Amino acid sequence: AEIAAKSISKVRINPGNFVDKGIASLREFDEAEFTQGREHAREALRPLLDAAKERGVPLRIGVNHGSLSARMLNKYGDTIEGMVESALEYIKLCEDENFDQLVVSLKASNTKIVVTAYRLLVARLTEEGLKQYPLHVGVTEAGEGLDGRTKSSVGIGALLLEGLGDTIRVSLTESPVNEVPVAEGLRDACVLEP
């Protein structure tokens, strides 16, 4: 990610595997180890944030329900709360380093999880007095054909109609070329008439 920040226009990191090994290293963590893990993430983030600041490169904090870190899984389980806490931890680490050029995504293949996670994140950002960052919304590996289009429409459409979502990604398990008209159709269907 640090090398990419020196030449591309936006970098995405997944808090679930940025420094933690994820579910493969799942074990019990006490509170001191949990905090130690956060500090390890802070140290790993600093060089990336320095490179991003130097070129004005935004960072997308992209949390995936299927790849939460072992620390988050241990503390919160395989839950929506774990997804949101993972995003919040990295948002706060970035803000501590005076970096706020962030976009946030919370993706899952289950539309209910996606919609609930984004709603909870927005509520928590408000409760904690944090900046409302742009949201990149989508349903991960929604499927193909009608099923993939339906799941994408439900998850992304619900969020867009609530005013949540600044960029979208339709993720079909078929040719990526087929994702573009679905995304355009969702965008157009969710725009309010003037």
Side-chain angles (χ1 to χ4, degrees):
E2 182 183 343
I3 292 167
K6 295 176 182 178
S7 61
I8 63 172
S9 59
K10 187 192 296 180
V11 174
R12 184 250 180 175
I13 60 166
N14 179 350
N17 59 26
F18 183 67
V19 293
D20 294 323
K21 293 189 176 167
I23 198 164
S25 63
L26 188 59
R27 62 178 178 76
E28 294 287 322
F29 285 85
D30 62 27
E31 198 57 39
E33 289 176 306
F34 188 86
T35 301
Q36 219 173 20
R38 181 175 46 244
E39 293 310 310
H40 181 61
R42 180 189 312 280
E43 292 305 315
L45 261 175
R46 278 189 180 127
L48 169 59
L49 297 179
D50 288 344
K53 286 178 194 176
E54 187 175 311
R55 292 191 54 248
V57 174
L59 176 68
R60 176 160 61 99
I61 298 172
V63 177
N64 281 344
H65 183 244
S67 61
L68 294 177
S69 72
R71 285 186 317 114
M72 291 296 168
L73 285 169
N74 179 264
K75 187 165 184 170
Y76 300 101
D78 185 16
T79 64
I80 294 167
E81 183 181 17
M83 292 175 68
V84 171
E85 288 297 331
S86 185
L88 286 170
E89 178 177 81
Y90 273 70
I91 289 168
K92 291 173 184 176
L93 291 173
C94 289
E95 287 189 352
D96 288 349
E97 299 298 318
N98 298 311
F99 187 84
D100 68 354
Q101 298 304 301
L102 301 173
V103 175
V104 183
S105 65
L106 302 165
K107 294 186 182 175
S109 58
N110 179 305
T111 58
K112 290 179 185 178
I113 290 172
V114 168
V115 172
T116 304
Y118 280 103
R119 288 173 178 163
L120 181 58
L121 175 66
V122 169
R124 290 289 305 282
L125 289 170
T126 301
E127 286 170 15
E128 297 190 27
L130 297 168
K131 181 177 175 180
Q132 292 291 332
Y133 290 98
L135 301 175
H136 174 73
V137 299
V139 177
T140 299
E141 295 178 350
E144 61 185 346
L146 182 60
D147 186 50
R149 285 154 179 79
T150 301
K151 285 174 72 174
S152 294
S153 296
V154 169
I156 297 169
L159 293 166
L160 292 177
L161 288 171
E162 290 181 27
L164 303 178
D166 300 279
T167 58
I168 63 175
R169 165 73 199 281
V170 171
S171 181
L172 302 175
T173 50
E174 56 188 75
S175 171
V177 173
N178 297 337
E179 296 171 348
V180 176
V182 178
E184 289 174 338
L186 273 166
R187 177 202 61 206
D188 295 346
C190 294
V191 173
L192 298 175
E193 295 296 325

